[in-house]
Every structure is written in structure tokens, then in C-alpha cells.
């Protein structure tokens, strides 16, 4: 399928449906851009029309949705141009960090040369960071309890070969020299004995899509370093709760952005290239020395990318497991100083009271961070934070059209997203209805996966008999439906140490290990690691553990296939969106692609 043409067609139908809500002149102008394929103007639609001409909620929502069809749509990207832009931004970030390092070298060793108010604020930021981090020796003593693994690519492994069960069983670990003592200690703690190290000083710089004009750089870290970085990430996420920052959800930022759009009491601040401008001396200038040294030990001092090896001026980049926690910690402390009674931080999304903005910007500029003026909103009825857009308290978040999955999965995702912003029984609805029929897309009850099929209401699914209680001759009490799911890889693991590491990571999500006593932790570890799993196969009480030894991990759909399969359905915790009731009544079963459903 030509997703370029699909974006233009869908945008044309959406714009046509908005006649009567938006001025005729603006509608005709945008339709002209679509006919002439003026990508640049369409992707910056809100900048092309002055607010003084016609400014209201409908206009802002309309313009942002028109932009969303194109702005982050990688199908319009030119690979060479995007790579060149990403390299340019990477070099610029390193230059800015170099300048910041030189400036901080001067001022942080001669703080008497700083303005008294700024020096006092920096001291307060350090005190807050010290209180949040707590005792480093306690963290180090509990380091094994914070170990976790992800499915991300590493310096020596592609994403396909970087699934967690492949990482935890590996005995040849690449890491930097300063990180080796920590990895050796962890290996002994988990009973792996001697581990072979492959020395490296570099991470691998790669690019991923950002928008249609440029990519963004990320770093794939060595396996050994990444484990330690993620351990700090687990720890800092808990510590940040001390100052009211919960990184497990974005709802606080989104709610404060909504309140800020109603009045001018709150401002939303976004930073440009936040992780790429986190300089080395910023971390050492604000964090206690033991913490800064540990984070320095587990970082990669150099990076290989763009045909070159670069010695980093930045402290850590995107891809480093500790970057998000470090920048949230620093921005959170700065925000608390600037606006003590009300602030919220999620990465580089900052919300504070408007009275503290000047103080915040002074501190951020001193440490080398640049405000993103296009995404920072100080006055007016619009606010944006953590992916939610608000206008005078009304949610106007657009649906961004991207191309990330195989064709049919991507169509399901697009239809599910656009059905919430399209006009009831409009041209776009009829167009999407045709896509469902022509591409044999399954109708599925509303669930947590937008690529599983086209969402409809549970009532509609029951009425049209798209749920089945009988599967392969067996009657079940849980309804099933057919949906698209990613293909999965299965690996049998009969190594008790590896199995323990895997379940330690999974167990952390359901229960706070820090709340356990030392005896409980030891008992849990001994129950899994006391003797080889193979010696307990004959124990009838241990069949459950044998079953758990088969680890299934979903393969990313971006690079692998999918299949249509029966899936158990459970009522989702979130309520069914209102628009699905209109959408479901619009579709008939004959359009469902129902082959094999009954």
C-alpha cells in the first residue's frame, strides 16, 4: 500500500468534513495544498494562518490534526536527508556541551563569581538532589535487587537478538573497564561464577525516525553497562516519589496542562535536545560525588557513529538506561526551587507556576539547556504536555499518522486512531469503512492493542457473534476473538540462575522488593537457586515451575511478521470510548473480514 497517497486521501476527506466549522477560505487553501502535494505547508499548517484571522477551539484542533497526518509520518522521509539532519543535530549537541563544560569549569570552581541569587539557587538544587538520592552505600548494597533487563538493542546486539532471555544467559559480556567490578560482583551474587569480559569504550550511535524531516540519534550501550544503568533507573524512579514525581504515569502532567489551559497560572515548558545537552560537568556539578562517579563509571565515554569515533562531551545520551532518570532528577530539583509549591516533571516536560518561569529559565540556561519555544506555552488558552493537547480545558490531542508496522496492522492502528477525531458519517468514515472491507480487517472488541484489529463495542461483538466460546472442540468460559498478533519466539530455559534473574525482573512489577525483609529476599532467592531445575523435574509439586521455565517473548512487529489467531478477551479496565458506539453501528458484519471467525 502507498501510505503517502493514503495520508493525502485521508487528510482530504478530513478537511472536507470540516466544512461549516472552519472558514471557507482556509478549507479551500488546504485542499489546494493537498492537490499540489505541498508537504511543507501541510506539516506546518498552524504556522501558515495567523491567529488574528479566526481563532477558536475548532480552528486549533483542525490545524493540529491536519499537521498530524504529515508531521511525524516517516513514509514521507528521505533517508539521506534525515540522516544528515540527525548528524548535524548530534554535532551541535556535542558543541553545546563542550561550551557548557568550559563555562561550568570556570564558575563551579569559583562560585564567588556567580550572582548571589543564582549561587543560592544552585545550592538549593544540590540539597534537593542529595535528599532524593539518599545514601549511595545503601544503593550499592541492594544493587542486585534493582537489576532488570529490556528488549532494546545493545552495542553488540541488534534488536532481534537482544530479547531479555538472550541477555540474561550470556556469559561473554561487553562493558567498559570502570563497570567491570560491578558486573563481576553481580555475576558472583547470582551464582554465575567467572564471566568473560569483552573490553570496550564505545557505544553504538544509531538513528531512529523523529519526524518526516529528520531522525534522532540514540546510543546502543554495551550489555554490561546497560544492566547497571537500568539498575539506577529502577532506583531513582522510586526515590523521585519523595518530591511528588511519579514516572510510572503521565497523568499528573496532563492534568496540570489542562488546568493551565484554563488560566495562565501554570506554564508548560519543553526543552530542545534535552538529553543531548546534558553535559558532563552538569552532572558532576549537581550530584554528590559518589553518585556522579558511579554514573560516570557505567556510562560509555565514547561513541561510534557517522563514520567516526567521538569522545562525548555530553554525560549520556538517549539509549543510556540512566539518562531519563538523571534528567528528570535534575529538572525536578530545578523546578522545585523555581516553583516550590507546585511543579511536575516527566523527562523534559516541565510544568510550574508562571511566577517561577524566569527563575527556571535562568537555572536551565546556566546549565546549558535550551528552551523549545515552539513547544513551551506561557500564556494563552493552549497547553501541551506528555502527548496531551488542551485548549481552554478541552482535549484536542490529534492522532499522529505514522508508518511503523506491516500493512494490515498499520491500517488497523490508523483506523482506530482516526475514528476518534473524524466526523460522524462523514467522508472519512466512509473511506475507512471501505478500507476495512477491501483489506479484510478483523473487527475486535475494544482492547489495549490498536493493531489487533478494528475496535468496535463489546455489545456489537456479542450481537454479531464475533466472539466464540468453543475452540477446537473444547468449551471455554472465556470469550475468544480472532485478531492480529505479533509472532512470538519461544525458548526453553533450564538454568535456575538465569530463570531467577528473569523472574526477579517480572516479580518487581507486582511487588515492591524493597519492602521485603532481608530474610524474605534470601528465602525467595534460595527457593529458585538452591539446586538445578533439572533435579526437581520428578517432583509433582514442581510442575508449575517447570511450566514457567518456558519463556515467551514477543518479537517486535516492526521487523517481524504477524498472524491471525484466537485471543482471549477480558473487559478492559478503561471505559469504552463514546465514538465507538457510533462507529460500531456504522459497520455491518459483512464488512468485518469474518472468514474463519465462527
Amino acid at each position: 500500500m502507498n501510505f503517502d497517497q493514503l495520508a493525502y486521501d485521508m487528510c482530504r476527506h478530513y478537511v472536507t468534513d470540516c466544512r461549516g466549522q472552519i472558514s471557507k477560505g482556509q478549507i479551500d487553501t488546504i485542499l489546494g495544498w493537498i492537490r499540489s502535494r505541498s508537504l511543507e505547508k501541510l506539516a506546518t499548517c498552524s504556522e501558515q494562518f495567523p491567529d488574528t484571522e479566526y481563532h477558536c477551539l475548532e480552528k486549533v484542533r483542525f490545524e493540529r490534526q491536519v499537521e498530524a497526518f504529515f508531521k511525524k509520518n516517516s513514509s514521507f522521509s528521505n533517508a539521506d536527508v534525515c540522516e544528515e539532519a540527525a548528524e548535524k543535530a548530534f554535532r551541535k549537541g556535542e558543541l553545546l556541551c563542550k561550551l557548557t563544560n568550559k563555562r561550568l569549569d570556570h564558575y563551579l570552581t569559583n562560585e564567588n563569581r556567580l550572582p548571589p541569587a543564582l549561587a543560592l539557587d544552585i545550592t538549593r538544587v544540590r540539597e534537593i538532589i542529595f535528599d532524593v538520592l539518599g545514601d549511595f552505600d545503601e544503593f550499592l548494597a541492594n544493587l542486585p535487587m534493582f537489576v532488570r533487563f529490556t528488549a532494546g538493542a545493545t552495542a553488540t546486539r541488534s534488536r532481534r537478538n537482544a530479547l531479555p532471555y538472550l541477555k540474561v544467559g550470556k556469559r561473554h559480556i561487553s562493558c567498559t573497564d570502570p563497570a567491570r567490578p560491578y558486573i563481576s560482583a553481580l555475576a558472583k551474587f547470582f551464582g554465575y561464577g567467572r564471566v568473560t569480559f569483552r573490553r570496550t569504550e564505545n557505544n553504538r550511535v544509531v538513528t531512529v525516525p523523529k519526524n518526516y524531516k529528520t531522525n534522532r540519534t540514540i546510543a546502543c550501550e554495551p550489555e554490561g553497562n546497560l544492566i547497571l544503568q537500568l539498575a539506577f533507573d529502577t532506583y531513582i524512579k522510586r526515590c523521585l516519589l519523595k518530591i511528588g514525581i511519579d514516572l510510572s504515569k503521565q497523568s499528573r502532567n496532563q492534568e496540570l496542562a489542562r488546568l493551565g489551559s484554563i488560566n495562565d497560572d501554570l506554564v508548560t515548558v519543553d526543552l530542545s535536545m534535552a538529553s543531548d545537552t546534558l553535559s558532563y560537568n552538569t552532572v558532576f556539578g549537581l550530584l554528590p560525588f559518589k553518585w556522579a562517579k558511579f554514573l560516570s563509571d557505567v556510562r560509555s565515554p565514547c561513541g561510534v557513529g557517522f563514520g567516526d569515533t567521538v569522545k562525548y562531551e555530553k554525560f549520556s545520551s538517549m539509549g543510556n538506561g540512566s539518562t531519563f532518570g538523571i534528567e528528570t532528577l535534575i529538572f525536578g530539583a530545578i523546578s522545585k526551587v523555581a516553583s516550590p509549591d507546585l511543579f511536575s516533571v516527566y523527562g523534559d516536560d516541565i510544568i510550574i507556576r508562571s511566577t517561577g518561569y524566569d527563575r527556571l529559565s535562568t537555572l536551565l540556561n546556566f546549565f546549558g539547556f535550551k528552551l523549545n519555544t515552539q513547544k513551551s506555552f506561557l500564556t494563552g488558552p493552549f497547553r501541551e504536555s506528555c502527548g496531551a493537547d488542551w485548549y481552554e480545558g478541552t482535549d484536542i490531542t490529534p492522532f499522529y499518522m505514522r508508518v511503523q508496522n506491516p500493512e494490515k496492522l498499520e491500517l488497523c492502528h490508523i483506523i482506530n486512531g482516526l475514528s476518534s477525531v473524524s466526523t460522524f458519517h462523514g467522508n472519512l468514515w466512509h473511506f475507512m469503512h471501505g478500507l476495512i472491507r477491501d483489506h479484510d480487517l478483523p473487527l475486535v472488541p475494544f482492547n489495549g492493542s490498536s493493531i489487533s484489529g478494528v475496535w468496535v463495542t463489546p455489545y456489537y461483538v456479542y450481537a454479531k457473534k464475533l466472539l466464540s466460546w468453543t475452540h477446537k472442540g473444547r468449551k471455554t468460559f472465556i470469550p475468544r476473538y480472532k485478531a492480529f498478533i505479533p509472532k512470538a519466539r519461544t525458548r526453553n530455559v533450564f538454568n535456575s540462575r538465569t530463570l531467577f534473574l528473569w523472574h526477579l525482573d517480572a516479580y518487581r512489577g507486582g511487588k515492591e522488593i524493597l519492602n521485603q525483609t532481608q530474610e524474605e529476599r534470601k528465602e525467595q532467592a534460595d527457593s529458585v537457586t538452591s539446586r538445578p531445575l533439572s533435579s526437581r523435574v520428578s517432583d509433582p509439586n514442581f510442575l508449575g515451575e517447570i511450566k514457567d521455565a518456558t519463556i515467551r517473548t514477543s518479537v517486535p512487529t516492526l521487523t517481524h511478521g504477524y498472524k491471525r489467531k484466537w485471543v482471549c478477551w477480558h473487559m478492559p479496565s478503561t471505559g469504552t470510548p463514546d465514538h465507538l458506539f457510533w462507529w460500531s453501528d456504522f459497520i455491518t458484519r459483512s464488512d468485518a473480514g469474518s472468514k474463519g471467525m465462527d
Side-chain angles (χ1 to χ4, degrees), residues 412-428:
C412 293
H413 175 68
I414 291 171
I415 291 172
N416 288 332
L418 287 178
S419 62
S420 64
V421 299
S422 56
T423 303
F424 180 54
H425 273 286
N427 292 327
L428 184 54

Side-chain angles (χ1 to χ4, degrees), residues 313-447:
E313 295 287 345
K314 65 171 67 72
F315 188 83
S316 59
S317 58
M318 291 179 65
N320 182 311
S322 62
T323 298
F324 187 73
I326 295 173
E327 65 181 19
T328 303
L329 171 65
I330 292 175
F331 298 149
I334 291 175
S335 300
K336 185 172 175 61
V337 169
S339 178
D341 62 326
L342 182 59
F343 68 95
S344 185
V345 176
Y346 190 92
D348 65 342
D349 281 323
I350 301 170
I351 300 179
I352 61 168
R353 290 200 183 276
S354 55
T355 53
Y357 175 76
D358 290 339
R359 203 172 178 184
L360 176 82
S361 60
T362 299
L363 284 167
L364 290 175
N365 287 330
F366 177 76
F367 287 106
F369 300 106
K370 304 298 180 183
L371 296 178
N372 186 340
T373 55
Q374 291 185 337
K375 291 188 176 182
S376 298
F377 299 93
L378 314 181
T379 59
F382 181 82
R383 295 292 186 276
E384 172 192 32
S385 185
C386 292
D389 299 351
W390 303 92
Y391 188 94
E392 293 181 344
T394 302
D395 186 359
I396 60 168
T397 305
F399 171 76
Y400 285 95
M401 188 171 173
R402 300 178 172 94
V403 179
Q404 298 176 317
N405 297 300
E407 180 178 301
K408 288 191 175 183
L409 276 67
E410 191 64 48
L411 282 177
C412 293
H413 175 68
I414 291 171
I415 291 172
N416 288 332
L418 287 178
S419 62
S420 64
V421 299
S422 56
T423 303
F424 180 54
H425 273 286
N427 292 327
L428 184 54
W429 275 46
H430 287 279
F431 182 76
M432 293 191 294
H433 174 239
L435 290 175
I436 296 171
R437 181 183 59 252
D438 296 342
H439 292 272
D440 190 32
L441 302 179
L443 301 184
V444 300
F446 176 62
N447 61 82

Side-chain angles (χ1 to χ4, degrees), residues 207-228:
T207 62
V208 295
K210 181 179 181 181
N211 54 48
Y212 81 98
K213 292 195 295 186
T214 182
N215 292 342
R216 62 159 50 96
T217 56
I218 62 172
C220 300
E221 296 284 327
E223 290 95 340
N225 292 64
L226 186 59
I227 292 172
L228 299 169

Side-chain angles (χ1 to χ4, degrees), residues 48-66:
Q48 305 299 322
F49 299 96
D51 290 342
T52 55
E53 178 185 332
Y54 182 63
H55 191 267
C56 65
L57 183 150
E58 288 77 14
K59 177 179 182 293
V60 176
R61 175 191 282 141
F62 169 77
E63 291 174 350
R64 293 185 72 81
Q65 182 56 58
V66 170

